[in-house]
Amino acid sequence: MSKQQRDALDAAMRTSPFDTSMTPGTHRADFEERLTPPLPDDVTGHDVRVGGVPALRLDVPGATRPGTLVYFFGGGYVVGSPRSGARLAVALARRTGLAPVAVEYRRAPEHRFPAPVDDALAFYRGLLDDGTPAESVVLAGDSAGGGLAVALMLAARDAGLPLPAGAVVFSAWADLTLTSPTFETKHGIDPLFSRAAMAWYAGHYLDGADPAQPLASPALADLTGLPPLLVQAGSHEVLLGDSVRLAAAAAAADVDVRLEVTPDVPHVFQNAFGALDEADAALDRAADFLVSVLERRALERPAPERPAPEPVTSLSA
Protein backbone atom coordinates (compact mmCIF):
# COMPACT_ATOMS: atom_id res chain seq x y z
CA MET A 1 0.00 0.00 0.00
CA SER A 2 1.27 3.47 -0.86
CA LYS A 3 2.22 6.03 1.78
CA GLN A 4 2.28 8.62 -0.99
CA GLN A 5 -1.36 7.88 -1.77
CA ARG A 6 -2.38 8.19 1.88
CA ASP A 7 -0.45 11.44 2.30
CA ALA A 8 -2.02 12.89 -0.85
CA LEU A 9 -5.53 12.07 0.39
CA ASP A 10 -4.85 13.60 3.78
CA ALA A 11 -3.46 16.78 2.22
CA ALA A 12 -6.43 17.10 -0.13
CA MET A 13 -8.92 16.77 2.72
CA ARG A 14 -7.10 19.37 4.81
CA THR A 15 -7.67 22.01 2.13
CA SER A 16 -11.37 22.11 3.06
CA PRO A 17 -11.73 21.82 6.85
CA PHE A 18 -15.25 21.81 8.23
CA ASP A 19 -16.53 25.32 8.94
CA THR A 20 -19.01 25.36 11.83
CA SER A 21 -20.17 28.87 10.87
CA MET A 22 -21.78 27.54 7.68
CA THR A 23 -25.53 27.44 7.33
CA PRO A 24 -27.10 24.18 6.15
CA GLY A 25 -27.89 25.81 2.81
CA THR A 26 -24.30 26.93 2.28
CA HIS A 27 -23.00 23.53 3.28
CA ARG A 28 -25.37 21.77 0.88
CA ALA A 29 -24.33 23.95 -2.05
CA ASP A 30 -20.65 23.34 -1.30
CA PHE A 31 -21.20 19.60 -0.84
CA GLU A 32 -23.13 19.38 -4.10
CA GLU A 33 -20.41 21.23 -6.01
CA ARG A 34 -17.37 19.45 -4.61
CA LEU A 35 -18.53 16.01 -3.51
CA THR A 36 -21.32 15.01 -5.89
CA PRO A 37 -19.70 13.88 -9.13
CA PRO A 38 -21.79 13.02 -12.19
CA LEU A 39 -22.73 9.41 -12.73
CA PRO A 40 -20.23 7.37 -14.74
CA ASP A 41 -20.89 7.41 -18.48
CA ASP A 42 -22.00 3.78 -18.48
CA VAL A 43 -24.43 4.16 -15.55
CA THR A 44 -28.00 5.39 -15.86
CA GLY A 45 -30.04 6.73 -12.95
CA HIS A 46 -33.82 6.45 -12.72
CA ASP A 47 -35.93 8.29 -10.16
CA VAL A 48 -38.31 5.86 -8.47
CA ARG A 49 -40.55 5.74 -5.41
CA VAL A 50 -40.79 2.75 -3.09
CA GLY A 51 -43.13 2.82 -0.13
CA GLY A 52 -43.78 6.47 -0.96
CA VAL A 53 -40.08 7.31 -0.52
CA PRO A 54 -38.06 8.69 -3.48
CA ALA A 55 -34.90 6.87 -4.50
CA LEU A 56 -32.41 6.62 -7.33
CA ARG A 57 -32.23 3.27 -9.12
CA LEU A 58 -28.88 2.80 -10.81
CA ASP A 59 -28.45 0.67 -13.92
CA VAL A 60 -24.88 -0.63 -13.76
CA PRO A 61 -23.49 -2.86 -16.53
CA GLY A 62 -23.00 -6.39 -15.28
CA ALA A 63 -25.20 -5.92 -12.20
CA THR A 64 -27.31 -8.99 -12.94
CA ARG A 65 -26.83 -11.08 -9.78
CA PRO A 66 -30.14 -11.81 -8.04
CA GLY A 67 -30.59 -9.43 -5.11
CA THR A 68 -30.86 -5.76 -4.27
CA LEU A 69 -28.27 -3.43 -2.75
CA VAL A 70 -29.91 -0.58 -0.80
CA TYR A 71 -27.55 2.35 -0.22
CA PHE A 72 -27.83 5.18 2.33
CA PHE A 73 -25.73 8.27 1.61
CA GLY A 74 -23.72 10.14 4.23
CA GLY A 75 -23.80 13.80 5.15
CA GLY A 76 -24.57 14.12 8.84
CA TYR A 77 -28.32 13.93 8.13
CA VAL A 78 -28.03 17.49 6.79
CA VAL A 79 -26.31 17.27 3.38
CA GLY A 80 -25.85 14.69 0.67
CA SER A 81 -28.19 12.97 -1.76
CA PRO A 82 -28.61 9.68 -3.60
CA ARG A 83 -26.31 11.08 -6.30
CA SER A 84 -23.54 11.78 -3.81
CA GLY A 85 -23.96 8.23 -2.50
CA ALA A 86 -24.04 6.79 -6.01
CA ARG A 87 -20.24 6.72 -6.27
CA LEU A 88 -19.89 4.05 -3.59
CA ALA A 89 -23.14 2.33 -4.53
CA VAL A 90 -21.88 1.87 -8.09
CA ALA A 91 -18.46 0.73 -6.88
CA LEU A 92 -20.12 -1.98 -4.80
CA ALA A 93 -22.45 -2.91 -7.65
CA ARG A 94 -19.52 -3.45 -10.03
CA ARG A 95 -17.88 -5.74 -7.48
CA THR A 96 -20.96 -7.67 -6.36
CA GLY A 97 -23.09 -7.72 -9.50
CA LEU A 98 -26.04 -6.48 -7.43
CA ALA A 99 -28.44 -3.83 -8.73
CA PRO A 100 -28.20 -0.79 -6.43
CA VAL A 101 -30.79 1.74 -5.31
CA ALA A 102 -29.92 4.83 -3.24
CA VAL A 103 -32.63 6.05 -0.86
CA GLU A 104 -33.48 9.76 -0.73
CA TYR A 105 -34.36 10.12 2.93
CA ARG A 106 -35.36 13.54 4.28
CA ARG A 107 -32.66 15.77 5.78
CA ALA A 108 -32.39 18.14 8.72
CA PRO A 109 -32.99 20.83 9.78
CA GLU A 110 -36.21 20.86 7.75
CA HIS A 111 -36.89 17.24 8.76
CA ARG A 112 -35.38 16.24 12.07
CA PHE A 113 -34.98 12.96 13.90
CA PRO A 114 -36.55 10.46 13.39
CA ALA A 115 -37.61 11.46 9.84
CA PRO A 116 -34.70 9.69 8.09
CA VAL A 117 -35.36 6.49 10.05
CA ASP A 118 -39.07 6.70 9.22
CA ASP A 119 -38.20 7.08 5.52
CA ALA A 120 -35.74 4.19 5.58
CA LEU A 121 -38.30 1.93 7.23
CA ALA A 122 -41.07 2.99 4.82
CA PHE A 123 -38.76 2.29 1.86
CA TYR A 124 -37.80 -1.13 3.20
CA ARG A 125 -41.39 -2.03 4.00
CA GLY A 126 -42.40 -0.94 0.50
CA LEU A 127 -39.67 -3.09 -1.01
CA LEU A 128 -41.02 -6.13 0.82
CA ASP A 129 -44.61 -5.27 -0.07
CA ASP A 130 -43.59 -5.11 -3.73
CA GLY A 131 -42.49 -8.73 -3.53
CA THR A 132 -38.76 -8.43 -2.88
CA PRO A 133 -37.71 -11.19 -0.45
CA ALA A 134 -35.90 -9.85 2.61
CA GLU A 135 -33.21 -12.51 2.22
CA SER A 136 -32.29 -11.04 -1.19
CA VAL A 137 -31.66 -7.54 0.22
CA VAL A 138 -28.39 -6.16 1.57
CA LEU A 139 -27.75 -2.70 2.98
CA ALA A 140 -24.77 -0.36 2.79
CA GLY A 141 -24.11 3.19 3.87
CA ASP A 142 -21.40 5.66 4.77
CA SER A 143 -21.10 7.99 7.77
CA ALA A 144 -24.63 9.02 8.82
CA GLY A 145 -25.91 6.64 6.15
CA GLY A 146 -24.07 3.82 7.88
CA GLY A 147 -25.73 4.65 11.18
CA LEU A 148 -29.06 4.87 9.38
CA ALA A 149 -28.62 1.41 7.86
CA VAL A 150 -28.23 -0.07 11.35
CA ALA A 151 -31.11 2.03 12.72
CA LEU A 152 -33.30 0.71 9.90
CA MET A 153 -32.55 -2.87 10.88
CA LEU A 154 -33.46 -2.09 14.49
CA ALA A 155 -36.71 -0.44 13.41
CA ALA A 156 -37.54 -3.35 11.08
CA ARG A 157 -36.80 -5.87 13.83
CA ASP A 158 -39.02 -4.02 16.30
CA ALA A 159 -41.79 -3.79 13.67
CA GLY A 160 -41.69 -7.55 13.22
CA LEU A 161 -40.45 -7.38 9.63
CA PRO A 162 -38.07 -9.97 8.16
CA LEU A 163 -34.54 -8.60 8.15
CA PRO A 164 -32.16 -8.21 5.20
CA ALA A 165 -29.33 -10.65 4.62
CA GLY A 166 -26.69 -8.29 6.03
CA ALA A 167 -25.13 -4.85 5.92
CA VAL A 168 -21.83 -3.08 5.34
CA VAL A 169 -21.20 0.32 6.92
CA PHE A 170 -18.33 2.68 6.18
CA SER A 171 -17.18 5.03 8.99
CA ALA A 172 -20.64 4.83 10.54
CA TRP A 173 -21.84 7.74 12.66
CA ALA A 174 -23.56 5.52 15.18
CA ASP A 175 -23.21 7.34 18.52
CA LEU A 176 -24.67 10.84 18.55
CA THR A 177 -23.80 11.37 22.22
CA LEU A 178 -20.36 12.40 20.92
CA THR A 179 -18.69 10.72 23.91
CA SER A 180 -16.23 8.49 22.07
CA PRO A 181 -12.64 8.91 23.32
CA THR A 182 -11.41 9.17 19.74
CA PHE A 183 -12.84 12.68 19.56
CA GLU A 184 -9.84 13.52 21.74
CA THR A 185 -7.24 11.00 20.64
CA LYS A 186 -7.82 11.61 16.92
CA HIS A 187 -8.31 15.37 17.15
CA GLY A 188 -6.06 16.98 14.55
CA ILE A 189 -5.17 13.59 13.13
CA ASP A 190 -8.57 13.56 11.43
CA PRO A 191 -8.07 15.93 8.46
CA LEU A 192 -11.74 16.88 8.20
CA PHE A 193 -13.87 16.54 11.33
CA SER A 194 -13.80 17.33 15.03
CA ARG A 195 -16.21 17.08 17.94
CA ALA A 196 -17.40 20.62 17.15
CA ALA A 197 -18.15 19.64 13.55
CA MET A 198 -20.17 16.59 14.58
CA ALA A 199 -21.98 18.66 17.22
CA TRP A 200 -23.04 21.02 14.40
CA TYR A 201 -24.65 18.11 12.55
CA ALA A 202 -26.15 16.60 15.69
CA GLY A 203 -27.68 19.91 16.72
CA HIS A 204 -29.46 20.32 13.40
CA TYR A 205 -30.61 16.70 13.34
CA LEU A 206 -31.69 16.09 16.93
CA ASP A 207 -33.04 19.53 17.85
CA GLY A 208 -32.91 18.67 21.54
CA ALA A 209 -33.96 15.02 21.26
CA ASP A 210 -32.11 12.52 23.44
CA PRO A 211 -29.02 11.46 21.46
CA ALA A 212 -28.83 8.15 23.32
CA GLN A 213 -32.09 6.84 21.84
CA PRO A 214 -31.47 3.53 20.02
CA LEU A 215 -32.60 4.82 16.61
CA ALA A 216 -30.39 7.90 16.96
CA SER A 217 -27.35 6.06 18.34
CA PRO A 218 -27.55 2.39 17.35
CA ALA A 219 -24.09 1.78 18.81
CA LEU A 220 -25.77 2.16 22.22
CA ALA A 221 -28.73 -0.10 21.37
CA ASP A 222 -29.48 -3.75 21.99
CA LEU A 223 -28.64 -5.23 18.58
CA THR A 224 -29.98 -8.69 19.31
CA GLY A 225 -31.28 -10.48 16.24
CA LEU A 226 -29.58 -8.33 13.61
CA PRO A 227 -28.11 -10.02 10.54
CA PRO A 228 -24.36 -10.18 9.77
CA LEU A 229 -22.63 -6.82 9.84
CA LEU A 230 -19.31 -5.59 8.44
CA VAL A 231 -17.99 -2.37 9.99
CA GLN A 232 -15.12 -0.58 8.24
CA ALA A 233 -13.32 2.53 9.49
CA GLY A 234 -10.04 4.39 9.16
CA SER A 235 -7.65 4.94 12.04
CA HIS A 236 -7.38 8.67 11.22
CA GLU A 237 -10.95 9.69 12.04
CA VAL A 238 -12.66 11.04 15.13
CA LEU A 239 -15.57 8.68 14.47
CA LEU A 240 -13.33 5.62 14.84
CA GLY A 241 -14.78 5.11 18.32
CA ASP A 242 -18.30 4.91 16.88
CA SER A 243 -17.28 1.95 14.74
CA VAL A 244 -15.59 0.25 17.68
CA ARG A 245 -18.64 0.77 19.90
CA LEU A 246 -20.99 -0.44 17.19
CA ALA A 247 -19.00 -3.62 16.62
CA ALA A 248 -18.74 -4.23 20.37
CA ALA A 249 -22.50 -3.80 20.80
CA ALA A 250 -23.12 -6.22 17.95
CA ALA A 251 -20.72 -8.78 19.40
CA ALA A 252 -22.32 -8.46 22.84
CA ALA A 253 -25.67 -9.27 21.22
CA ASP A 254 -24.25 -12.36 19.45
CA VAL A 255 -24.45 -10.72 16.03
CA ASP A 256 -22.08 -12.07 13.38
CA VAL A 257 -19.93 -8.93 13.13
CA ARG A 258 -16.57 -8.04 11.64
CA LEU A 259 -14.66 -4.85 12.43
CA GLU A 260 -11.96 -3.70 10.00
CA VAL A 261 -9.83 -0.68 10.88
CA THR A 262 -7.48 0.39 8.10
CA PRO A 263 -4.44 2.30 9.39
CA ASP A 264 -3.47 5.84 8.36
CA VAL A 265 -6.63 6.61 6.37
CA PRO A 266 -9.48 9.09 7.04
CA HIS A 267 -13.26 9.13 7.21
CA VAL A 268 -14.95 7.14 4.41
CA PHE A 269 -11.59 6.53 2.74
CA GLN A 270 -13.37 4.05 0.46
CA ASN A 271 -14.47 7.03 -1.65
CA ALA A 272 -10.87 7.32 -2.86
CA PHE A 273 -10.99 4.05 -4.78
CA GLY A 274 -8.91 4.19 -7.92
CA ALA A 275 -6.45 6.57 -6.22
CA LEU A 276 -5.89 4.76 -2.91
CA ASP A 277 -5.01 1.08 -2.82
CA GLU A 278 -6.53 0.66 0.64
CA ALA A 279 -9.87 1.94 -0.65
CA ASP A 280 -10.05 -0.62 -3.46
CA ALA A 281 -9.03 -3.42 -1.10
CA ALA A 282 -11.68 -2.40 1.44
CA LEU A 283 -14.39 -2.31 -1.22
CA ASP A 284 -13.32 -5.72 -2.49
CA ARG A 285 -13.70 -7.14 1.03
CA ALA A 286 -17.05 -5.41 1.47
CA ALA A 287 -18.30 -6.87 -1.79
CA ASP A 288 -17.13 -10.36 -0.84
CA PHE A 289 -18.97 -10.00 2.47
CA LEU A 290 -22.23 -8.93 0.82
CA VAL A 291 -22.13 -11.77 -1.68
CA SER A 292 -21.32 -14.27 1.06
CA VAL A 293 -24.25 -13.27 3.28
CA LEU A 294 -26.64 -13.47 0.32
CA GLU A 295 -25.37 -16.92 -0.56
CA ARG A 296 -25.66 -18.01 3.06
CA ARG A 297 -29.27 -16.82 3.29
CA ALA A 298 -30.07 -18.59 0.02
CA LEU A 299 -28.78 -21.85 1.47
CA GLU A 300 -30.82 -21.34 4.64
CA ARG A 301 -34.04 -20.75 2.68
CA PRO A 302 -36.37 -23.76 3.00
CA ALA A 303 -36.71 -25.71 -0.20
CA PRO A 304 -40.20 -25.52 -1.73
CA GLU A 305 -42.35 -28.50 -0.90
CA ARG A 306 -42.87 -30.90 -3.77
CA PRO A 307 -46.33 -32.39 -4.30
CA ALA A 308 -46.57 -35.99 -3.25
CA PRO A 309 -46.40 -38.37 -6.21
CA GLU A 310 -49.64 -39.99 -7.25
CA PRO A 311 -49.83 -43.65 -6.31
CA VAL A 312 -49.06 -46.11 -9.06
CA THR A 313 -52.16 -48.13 -9.80
CA SER A 314 -50.95 -50.22 -12.71
CA LEU A 315 -47.83 -51.16 -14.57
CA SER A 316 -47.58 -52.05 -18.21
CA ALA A 317 -44.79 -53.72 -20.13
Side-chain angles (χ1 to χ4, degrees):
M1 302 302 179
S2 169
K3 183 177 185 304
Q4 290 76 20
Q5 292 174 342
R6 298 193 300 270
D7 289 347
L9 178 59
D10 182 273
M13 296 182 77
R14 290 184 189 278
T15 62
S16 301
F18 189 86
D19 180 2
T20 56
S21 70
M22 287 189 297
T23 65
T26 300
H27 189 15
R28 284 175 187 165
D30 179 67
F31 195 93
E32 182 72 20
E33 178 182 352
R34 296 190 304 106
L35 299 174
T36 307
L39 295 177
D41 291 341
D42 64 339
V43 174
T44 304
H46 304 276
D47 292 327
V48 298
R49 296 186 77 89
V50 178
V53 179
L56 181 68
R57 192 187 79 229
L58 298 159
D59 289 345
V60 180
T64 57
R65 181 189 296 273
T68 301
L69 169 64
V70 179
Y71 198 88
F72 296 99
F73 62 87
Y77 297 108
V78 175
V79 302
S81 69
R83 289 192 174 269
S84 66
R87 176 173 170 80
L88 284 173
V90 169
L92 287 172
R94 294 196 195 280
R95 288 166 167 81
T96 61
L98 295 170
V101 58
V103 181
E104 189 173 357
Y105 59 87
R106 290 170 291 172
R107 300 168 300 173
E110 295 85 359
H111 305 283
R112 303 178 189 269
F113 173 81
V117 184
D118 292 342
D119 288 350
L121 181 60
F123 179 91
Y124 182 65
R125 191 189 297 273
L127 204 63
L128 301 184
D129 289 345
D130 289 345
T132 301
E135 62 268 19
S136 72
V137 177
V138 288
L139 311 180
D142 65 280
S143 197
L148 182 57
V150 182
L152 163 59
M153 293 191 289
L154 288 174
R157 179 199 67 185
D158 294 346
L161 297 176
L163 296 179
V168 168
V169 295
F170 305 131
S171 297
W173 190 26
D175 179 3
L176 274 62
T177 66
L178 308 183
T179 57
S180 167
T182 53
F183 279 110
E184 303 300 332
T185 60
K186 299 299 180 179
H187 182 75
I189 296 173
D190 187 321
L192 185 60
F193 290 129
S194 64
R195 188 195 301 272
M198 301 315 299
W200 184 92
Y201 288 115
H204 285 297
Y205 179 48
L206 295 172
D207 191 30
D210 180 5
Q213 293 181 68
L215 297 183
S217 295
L220 307 181
D222 177 3
L223 304 184
T224 300
L226 264 58
L229 178 64
L230 173 61
V231 181
Q232 292 185 342
S235 71
H236 283 190
E237 59 174 312
V238 294
L239 291 185
L240 172 60
D242 284 45
S243 291
V244 174
R245 285 184 174 178
L246 177 62
D254 295 322
V255 174
D256 180 355
V257 60
R258 304 178 196 177
L259 172 64
E260 297 179 356
V261 181
T262 299
D264 305 323
V265 293
H267 186 66
V268 196
F269 67 93
Q270 295 86 348
N271 252 322
F273 66 88
L276 179 69
D277 293 342
E278 288 87 344
D280 285 281
L283 287 172
D284 288 346
R285 295 193 301 272
D288 289 345
F289 175 85
L290 293 174
V291 171
S292 71
V293 296
L294 283 171
E295 291 177 345
R296 188 189 316 175
R297 284 290 290 270
L299 290 173
E300 294 171 352
R301 188 183 312 155
E305 293 186 7
R306 296 182 178 179
E310 296 183 5
V312 177
T313 58
S314 63
L315 294 174
S316 59

